Amino acid sequence: MDNFTPTQYQLRCVATDHLFEDDGLALEDPQCKCASLIRTEYAKKQIEVRDNSYGLYKYCDWLPVRRMLKGSAAPVTYKSKGLAEAIGLENLYITFSGYWPAIGAAMTTCSFKETEAYSVCGRFDESKGRILVVASAGNTARAFAKVCSENNIPLLLCVPEDNLDALWFEAPLNDCVKLISVQKGADYFDAIHLSNTVLKSHRFVAEGGAKNIARRDGMGTTVLSAATFIGRIPDYYFQAVGSGTGAIAAWETAQRLAADGRFGENHMHLMVSQNAPFVPMYDAWRARSRELFAYDDHHARRDAAIIDAKVLSNRKPPYSLAGGLFDALTATDGDFFVSTNAALRKASRLFQQTEGIDIHHAAAVAVDSLLQAVKTGKVAKDATVMLNITGGGEQLFKKNKQMWYLKPAIVFPLTAKESDIIARTEALFA
């Protein structure tokens, strides 16, 4: 790893096909006049997977990184026996991102958000003096806090006050990590709005969410894990979605694997799901509408408060833009499911009973969508299925440990003035 050289790649605009160079911060093509994602085009067309000592960076050929950071772990794929037998699938493969030493899974934040954080921060150049800003409903903040704390990267987190219980750690964090929150009753969209206000200061730079190529390519390592373990691209990919970024990443990665030539053709159907009653993307997809329907603030906050899987409550997901989830579902002939709280809790218990590990609520939504797909005959018994378990092992990791919780330096009311938000936040990094 000491001899690592930055990965060679260029960026391409999905809408216009324009190819351009990355400045290390690009989130879009400045020449593009419409809403569009950009994608990474790697110089190396056939991936060479390194050994496990590289952690997540075993996939560095297809990660847009200029350096490797310490502490990373890769997703782990295995062939299911217990769950597969319980639901009648012959070729069910589980890709697990979390903490489960028995299978070699070592993500201590217990979430696949670590795949994003190590990739984004491996691309980010903090020597330019800008402070990275991340808005999150919980798991993403925990992952970025861990990575930045351990690697001394200045970070500002924006998290709703109602979600602070997700910011647990086994030890106090480096002071380079700061947290600001929006008052109780606010949701993830309010945290995004807070971060956008802060970003009006030149001292801060947006991580970018779905628009960040490093975030999506980091998440795509789940599909790399599955395909390299199975030896082929799966037929079906199951994941719960809040923004849909992980599913978009899966689609993009499957296309790279098809172009590699060693993993079969790309016919991987995206099978995604949301937690009712917060289902804006499901509603739009069922109507085959590229545009999301109106979802007023009051009802969105109410619905976000009801669902168990809080991380799935993104009001402004990358659904409609070029290369977004609508395009991904259309291109893959995908499908969309909905799970109630009761259904996901039942699915969570089934997974723990059959596979032997606890999983996060969002992962349980994905399990329930798989159960629905099998029951309704949408997935053949002999199909090669990838189930993306995006978080798990938290109960196991926390067992007999005293957790430390990150507290906000400032809690802003929804009515806070922009000038006050900017001035007080800049002072945190004085």
Side-chain angles (χ1 to χ4, degrees), residues 40-59:
T40 328
E41 291 205 357
Y42 293 101
K44 200 162 187 178
K45 301 304 181 185
Q46 287 195 326
I47 189 170
E48 178 187 347
V49 180
R50 289 156 174 76
D51 64 62
N52 288 332
S53 68
Y54 283 78
L56 183 74
Y57 302 110
K58 66 192 287 186
Y59 304 115

Side-chain angles (χ1 to χ4, degrees), residues 321-334:
L321 78 175
L325 188 63
F326 180 86
D327 285 346
L329 288 170
T330 302
T332 65
D333 191 22

Side-chain angles (χ1 to χ4, degrees), residues 92-336:
L92 173 60
Y93 293 87
I94 294 172
T95 299
F96 187 89
S97 298
Y99 183 77
W100 194 1
I103 66 166
M107 295 183 185
T108 57
T109 66
C110 305
S111 167
F112 88 142
K113 297 299 183 179
E114 282 192 33
T115 66
E116 306 171 28
Y118 279 105
S119 182
V120 168
C121 293
R123 176 192 182 214
F124 181 65
D125 183 2
E126 77 275 14
S127 68
K128 295 180 180 179
R130 307 285 292 281
I131 298 162
L132 193 66
V133 178
V134 173
S136 169
N139 288 345
T140 301
R142 191 167 68 249
F144 273 87
K146 165 192 160 68
V147 175
C148 291
S149 176
E150 292 181 353
N151 293 278
N152 201 34
I153 300 170
L155 172 70
L156 175 68
L157 298 172
C158 301
V159 179
E161 192 175 16
D162 286 336
N163 296 55
L164 295 182
D165 60 351
L167 299 184
W168 51 262
F169 304 90
E170 58 181 328
L173 298 181
N174 185 324
D175 195 47
C176 66
V177 176
K178 308 288 186 184
L179 167 66
I180 58 175
S181 293
V182 198
Q183 68 182 58
K184 289 185 180 298
D187 66 1
Y188 178 37
F189 180 70
D190 295 311
I192 293 174
H193 179 73
L194 178 64
S195 72
N196 287 339
T197 300
V198 170
L199 288 164
K200 292 181 180 181
S201 164
H202 71 280
R203 295 193 59 196
F204 300 96
V205 62
E207 178 272 328
K211 292 183 177 181
N212 193 320
I213 53 161
R215 176 180 277 217
R216 300 202 312 275
D217 292 358
M219 297 169 103
T221 60
T222 57
V223 175
L224 295 180
S225 172
T228 53
F229 179 83
I230 301 166
R232 54 163 291 199
I233 301 167
D235 298 321
Y236 295 91
Y237 169 93
F238 282 82
Q239 187 201 319
V241 292
S243 67
T245 307
I248 296 166
W251 172 46
E252 293 173 336
T253 303
Q255 292 177 75
R256 287 192 189 106
L257 286 165
D260 179 301
R262 296 172 295 171
F263 299 94
E265 297 181 2
N266 176 25
H267 298 296
M268 188 175 79
H269 303 284
L270 298 182
M271 312 292 271
V272 298
S273 43
Q274 291 198 288
N275 186 183
F278 194 99
V279 292
M281 289 189 289
Y282 169 84
D283 288 341
W285 177 250
R286 281 299 175 208
R288 292 302 188 270
S289 169
R290 175 179 284 275
E291 301 304 321
L292 295 173
F293 302 135
Y295 200 5
D296 69 77
D297 291 354
H298 171 73
H299 287 101
R301 291 191 184 107
R302 180 201 63 188
D303 292 347
I306 292 172
I307 62 174
D308 280 356
K310 304 294 186 193
V311 297
L312 303 183
S313 59
N314 189 334
R315 269 194 270 162
K316 299 290 183 180
Y319 176 84
S320 307
L321 78 175
L325 188 63
F326 180 86
D327 285 346
L329 288 170
T330 302
T332 65
D333 191 22
D335 207 349
F336 222 127

